[in-house]
Amino acid sequence: MGVLIKRDQRQAVSFRRQPNFGPPTSETFPMSLLHRLTAVALSSVALPALLLAQGGGGNQQPPKNLQVLPKDFTRQQVVAVMNGFTAALGVNCAHCHVEGAAPAGGPPPGAPPAGAPAAGGPPGGGRGGPPLDFASDDKETKKIAREMLKMVGDINGKYLPLTGRTIGERDKVSCETCHHGLSKPQTLRAALANAADAKGADSAMALYRALRTRYYGAAAYDFSESALAIAAGELARNNQQPAALALLKLNLEYYDKSAITYQTMGQVLLAAGDTTGAKDALTKAMALQPQNPQIRQMLQRLGVAP
């Protein structure tokens, strides 16, 4: 049974102005959230570049227009949080910040043209692109980021304690919990279903190959043996049998001895009225998993002795 957290033991979690308490400061901001957001950032080689982008080094001006982060945060603290965002979402500073005014007199001699990416890096945010206006609220993504930060704080500080269980620092929610390097979190099943809806089976297959090439080994998408089988089952339930079968055949290219793939293929073929094809697929599944009772029962109903 979990250990209840007493009210006086809970960390302050509000990012907004509280009656009689004034605006949030670094004393009331949930520092555990800051630590989780910046754990990667502080050990990343990208931090010096981001510090440079925000004017780090020398006499630094204090951050402007802080509405969710504590207003007494130093520039270094803000930069660390922002770098945590970029790492979790796989973006750069320009994802949330608009371009600022060009410096008086134009760019220095030999500088890259506006918007040109530096070698090995994306444009904007001190990586070879134009300067950014970090105080501006003109970009919708910046406004969304503020709301997401409030949401994370509420989950960790309000809703998780209501479960009555002790949540360790490593188990608390952060941007990475959902994003896994994607600016817009999405499951592989959803991405493939959307592609199939829009342009058919070939589009879904092409998307899978592209995502697997780019993200295999990362946490962004699930490329395990069962992932395409599950996605195919969902497509079949939505009366997209051709797309479902195409994904199952694609899965066999990567997992040629996948019992779950042949089993799902048999179910899809049977629902489509192809009894012969269903028997063949299920027989292959049975050969791979001879003790599987579900496959055995399906073959028996089709009159095939396992």
Side-chain angles (χ1 to χ4, degrees), residues 94-120:
H95 182 71
C96 290
H97 299 290
V98 298
E99 294 183 18

Side-chain angles (χ1 to χ4, degrees), residues 23 45-46 62 113 134 164 198 204 288:
V45 295
F134 295 103
L288 293 167

Side-chain angles (χ1 to χ4, degrees), residues 140-159:
E140 182 186 17
T141 45
K142 182 177 180 180
K143 300 173 185 177
I144 293 173
R146 283 190 176 126
E147 297 307 313
M148 293 293 100
L149 190 54
K150 294 175 186 177
M151 179 191 71
V152 170
D154 285 344
I155 291 172
N156 287 327
K158 179 180 178 182
Y159 296 107

Side-chain angles (χ1 to χ4, degrees), residues 13-160:
V13 295
S14 177
F15 301 153
R16 290 153 281 188
R17 184 180 296 274
Q18 297 295 319
N20 303 322
F21 289 94
T25 68
S26 57
E27 296 299 320
T28 60
F29 186 74
M31 298 307 291
S32 61
L33 174 59
L34 173 63
H35 295 156
R36 286 186 60 76
L37 289 172
T38 61
V40 175
L42 291 176
S43 61
S44 171
V45 295
L47 183 56
L50 188 52
L51 282 168
L52 178 62
Q54 298 237 34
N59 296 323
Q60 300 181 27
Q61 295 294 320
K64 298 178 182 179
N65 195 22
L66 297 182
Q67 297 184 21
V68 179
L69 295 176
K71 294 184 181 299
D72 61 347
F73 257 26
T74 65
R75 179 171 293 272
Q76 186 176 11
Q77 286 175 304
V78 173
V79 167
V81 173
M82 296 301 105
N83 215 32
F85 291 164
T86 62
L89 275 67
V91 298
N92 64 9
C93 311
H95 182 71
C96 290
H97 299 290
V98 298
E99 294 183 18
R127 291 161 172 79
L132 301 176
D133 183 352
F134 295 103
S136 171
D137 288 336
D138 288 347
K139 243 184 184 178
E140 182 186 17
T141 45
K142 182 177 180 180
K143 300 173 185 177
I144 293 173
R146 283 190 176 126
E147 297 307 313
M148 293 293 100
L149 190 54
K150 294 175 186 177
M151 179 191 71
V152 170
D154 285 344
I155 291 172
N156 287 327
K158 179 180 178 182
Y159 296 107
L160 289 181

